[in-house]
Amino acid sequence: MQTVYLDNNATTRTDPAVVEAMLPYFAEQFGNPSSAHAIGTGVAEGIRAARSQVRSLIGAAHDQEIVFTSGGTESDNTAILSGLQADPRRDEVVVSAVEHPAILTLCHHLETSLGTRVHRIAVDGCGKMDMEAYKAALSGRTAIVSIMWANNETGTVFPLEQLAAMAKRAGALFHTDAVQAAGKLSMDLKTTAIDMLSLSAHKIHGPKGVGALYVRRGTPFAPLIHGGRQERARRAGTENVPGIIGFGKAAERAMDALALETPRIARLRDRLEQGLQRSIVGIRVNGDPSARLANTCNIAFEDVESDALLTLLGREGIACSSGSACASGSMEPSHVLRAMQVPPPFLHGALRFALSRDTRDTDIDRVLAVMPRIVERLRKPAPRPSRHQTSDLIHA
Ligand code: PLP
């Protein structure tokens, strides 16, 4: 039985063309890009080309605005910490309540260790930002705003251009975590007020452990990692060369696929959602129906536990993820769904199906075929133990 992989917001399959592009950089192209000899300069040329490919994906003006990092988490941390050092009169951070832990855990650390004031902007039932609260949080004290372009759990897309413009008017720096949005939405950073933007290769069919931070030319910047002068002294350490080459190729492939694949993926996602809604009662789709990534379906099943759903789906060869996180041994509903005030009967039964350009009609057919049976089985009240069994239990 072939696995149906619908967990593409967690990670994507590495594109075979990406693997092929990387392979020489594990073998004959082994040089250090900082070396002056030909073996090094050949590798530096590969990195230069990858930087240009990544720049094109987001429509940035200059290759030098791309700083390669170890992934989305490092890019997010670098942006916030750098933003807090830009202007001594500004010491507050504004984020949404539904950011990825790469932002929220750092913010919690800053609050508890340095006393930094962090404003977490609430969202509504669709996951949309409370714009009045956002406006009220911006002030002459705001050092940096960080709002994700699209949410990893629900796919809700934020009005980035408007949010960035408002931050700029308040004199603050604006960062966005575009880890989930990149390769799924077309981007032209030249026309926005975004100062910094985080990317991760493994969400766009590239390798794991590599990403980038876009830093608009002229933005004040303080590195997170100090050492050698790699990445124009903005990120020290010998480059993850094969990773960067693979990231470049993945960015190029994502850009080529965007226009054709987005409507196809949206059609599959809608077929999945409508099919589930037709065949199962007590369903709630989480996210903003008017502004959502084409690939993401977050759907909650009333009075069912998502970990039980995942187990039974796993037995059918279907891989997706739940809207819960394991916290100290118990399944806690995600902070995103809690922030959206998803009603309690649905809160523990959320699943995230995340599609990609690898997803086929047959994958959706498989989910639609098994899901009604699985939900029915889990909703059925557990049979009461017979008297005989009860006494067995007592004497056991
Ligand atoms: N930001 C978002 C929105 C994500 O979905 C993820 C990964 O799940 C990250 C950041 C972290 O990226 P990485 O795995 O490259 O550190």
Side-chain angles (χ1 to χ4, degrees), residues 9-10 70-74 76 100 102 148 150 152 177 179-180 200 202-203:
N9 286 8
S70 67
T73 302
E74 183 189 322
D76 284 350
H100 188 271
M148 64 202 331
N152 47 303
D177 176 337
V179 164
Q180 294 293 342
S200 175
H202 73 100
K203 310 287 186 178

Side-chain angles (χ1 to χ4, degrees), residues 8 15 17 19 28 32 40-41 49-50 93 103 106 110 121-122 148 163 178 185 206 252 265 268 287 317 335-336 348:
N8 288 283
D15 185 328
V19 176
E28 65 270 25
N32 187 323
T41 52
V93 179
I103 295 286
L106 170 67
L110 291 170
I121 310 302
M148 64 202 331
L163 295 169
L185 300 174
E252 182 189 273
I265 292 170
L268 289 179
H335 69 285
V336 176
H348 294 268

Side-chain angles (χ1 to χ4, degrees), residues 32 67 83 101 121 169 184 203 205 234 241 293 298 313 363 378 392:
N32 187 323
V67 180
I121 310 302
R169 279 200 291 280
K184 296 172 191 151
K203 310 287 186 178
H205 303 274
R234 290 173 298 177
V241 176
L293 292 176
N298 187 309
L313 281 168
D363 297 324
L378 293 174
D392 275 350

Side-chain angles (χ1 to χ4, degrees), residues 103-375:
I103 295 286
L104 289 182
T105 310
L106 170 67
C107 285
H108 179 70
H109 168 72
L110 291 170
E111 282 174 317
T112 52
S113 64
L114 300 177
T116 306
R117 177 143 190 230
V118 178
H119 301 261
R120 291 175 184 75
I121 310 302
V123 297
D124 69 10
C126 292
K128 281 202 272 219
M129 284 249 310
D130 178 341
M131 295 301 276
E132 283 308 308
Y134 177 57
K135 208 163 131 193
L138 295 171
S139 76
R141 296 286 296 269
T142 313
I144 182 159
V145 175
S146 181
I147 310 282
M148 64 202 331
W149 200 315
N151 185 267
N152 47 303
E153 295 190 27
T154 62
T156 295
V157 177
F158 289 100
L160 249 272
E161 286 172 29
Q162 190 188 353
L163 295 169
M166 285 168 74
K168 290 275 87 175
R169 279 200 291 280
L173 290 170
F174 188 88
H175 164 256
T176 183
D177 176 337
V179 164
Q180 294 293 342
K184 296 172 191 151
L185 300 174
S186 104
M187 294 179 177
D188 186 10
L189 286 196
K190 289 184 286 296
T191 64
T192 73
I194 296 166
D195 296 303
M196 290 185 275
L197 172 146
S198 298
L199 297 169
S200 175
H202 73 100
K203 310 287 186 178
I204 58 163
H205 303 274
K208 290 161 189 61
V210 59
L213 180 64
Y214 157 83
V215 184
R216 182 182 293 277
R217 188 181 268 182
T219 304
F221 184 77
L224 176 69
I225 298 177
H226 300 265
R229 299 196 53 78
Q230 291 90 352
E231 296 299 285
R232 303 169 124 230
R234 290 173 298 177
R235 204 280 186 177
T238 301
E239 297 85 343
N240 169 4
V241 176
I244 289 171
I245 301 293
F247 186 13
K249 189 68 184 174
E252 182 189 273
R253 303 266 297 168
M255 214 166 116
D256 289 348
L258 185 68
L260 269 184
E261 282 296 308
T262 308
R264 187 189 70 85
I265 292 170
R267 268 197 307 278
L268 289 179
R269 192 268 316 269
D270 292 347
R271 191 159 81 75
L272 171 66
E273 234 163 62
Q274 287 156 12
L276 292 174
Q277 280 168 319
R278 262 198 302 271
S279 58
I280 305 170
V281 293
I283 276 191
R284 184 194 139 103
V285 174
N286 297 314
D288 183 357
S290 63
R292 201 157 51 122
L293 292 176
N295 81 315
T296 306
C297 166
N298 187 309
I299 195 153
F301 300 86
E302 194 175 11
D303 296 329
V304 185
E305 293 288 332
S306 55
D307 52 341
L309 285 168
L310 285 183
T311 305
L312 296 188
L313 281 168
R315 285 188 202 152
E316 303 280 350
I318 296 166
C320 63
S321 71
S322 74
S324 312
C326 190
S328 28
S330 69
M331 292 303 276
E332 285 290 320
S334 86
H335 69 285
V336 176
L337 300 185
R338 267 190 277 123
M340 289 165 65
Q341 305 198 352
V342 170
F346 291 94
L347 198 52
H348 294 268
L351 291 183
R352 179 185 68 184
F353 295 100
L355 289 62
S356 79
R357 60 179 194 251
D358 290 338
T359 309
R360 299 284 165 263
D361 266 294
T362 48
D363 297 324
I364 304 304
D365 294 340
R366 284 259 298 276
V367 179
L368 291 177
V370 302
M371 207 63 202
R373 185 167 26 92
I374 288 179
V375 174

